[in-house]
Amino acid sequence: MTTLLTIGDAAKASGLSAKMIRHYEQSGLVRKSPRTDSGYRLYNSEQISQLRFIRQARKLGFSLQDIQSLLALWQDPQRESRAVKQLAQQHLTEIEAKISELQHMQQVLTSLAQSCSGDASPNCNILKQLAKPD
C-alpha cells in the first residue's frame, strides 16, 4: 500500500511550504493531488520526489519554465543528457551575466559612496551623478 501524505506532511517531507506546493500544483509542475472526502490533498511518494526536485532546482535559480523542462527530461528514460546539459549551461551563462552586472554595479556604487563626504553639508556627489543624463 502506498503511503499518502497530507499537504502539511508533504511540505515537511519536501522542504517546501504548503503555499508553494499549491502554487506548483496550480501551475502544472506537479500533478493535482487527489482529495479526501473532507477535501484534504494527498500526495504520494512520486509527487514528494517531484517537489524535492523542484525545490532543488529553485534553489539553483531555475525558472518555472526551465523546471518544467527539467522535470520532463527527468521523467523521460529516453532523454539525451545533452538536452539536460544544454539547459544547465544556458542557466549558467545567465548567472554569469548577472554576476558581471552586479560586479559593475558594486564598482560604480563604491565609487559614488567614496565621492560623497557624508557630512552635514547638503552637497552629495551621489545625487549629482544620479541626476546626470546618460
Side-chain angles (χ1 to χ4, degrees), residues 4-64:
L4 297 174
L5 302 177
T6 62
I7 195 165
D9 291 333
K12 288 177 192 165
S14 67
L16 294 168
S17 67
K19 182 179 179 178
M20 287 311 298
I21 292 173
R22 285 190 291 273
H23 172 72
Y24 294 143
E25 198 174 308
Q26 197 171 37
S27 67
L29 283 178
V30 177
R31 184 179 90 258
K32 290 206 183 279
S33 62
R35 294 187 180 242
T36 64
D37 292 338
S38 52
Y40 291 102
R41 292 174 165 92
L42 296 174
Y43 297 87
N44 62 31
S45 60
E46 179 185 336
Q47 289 169 302
I48 300 302
S49 293
Q50 289 173 346
L51 291 169
R52 287 182 184 138
F53 184 99
I54 293 166
R55 183 175 144 267
Q56 287 296 103
R58 289 300 291 160
K59 282 173 63 175
L60 291 173
F62 282 100
S63 68
L64 292 182

Side-chain angles (χ1 to χ4, degrees), residues 63-81:
S63 68
L64 292 182
Q65 183 179 353
D66 285 345
I67 293 172
Q68 193 163 25
S69 297
L70 287 167
L71 276 168
L73 288 164
W74 182 47
Q75 294 166 345
D76 178 6
Q78 303 302 313
R79 70 181 168 263
E80 292 185 0
S81 65

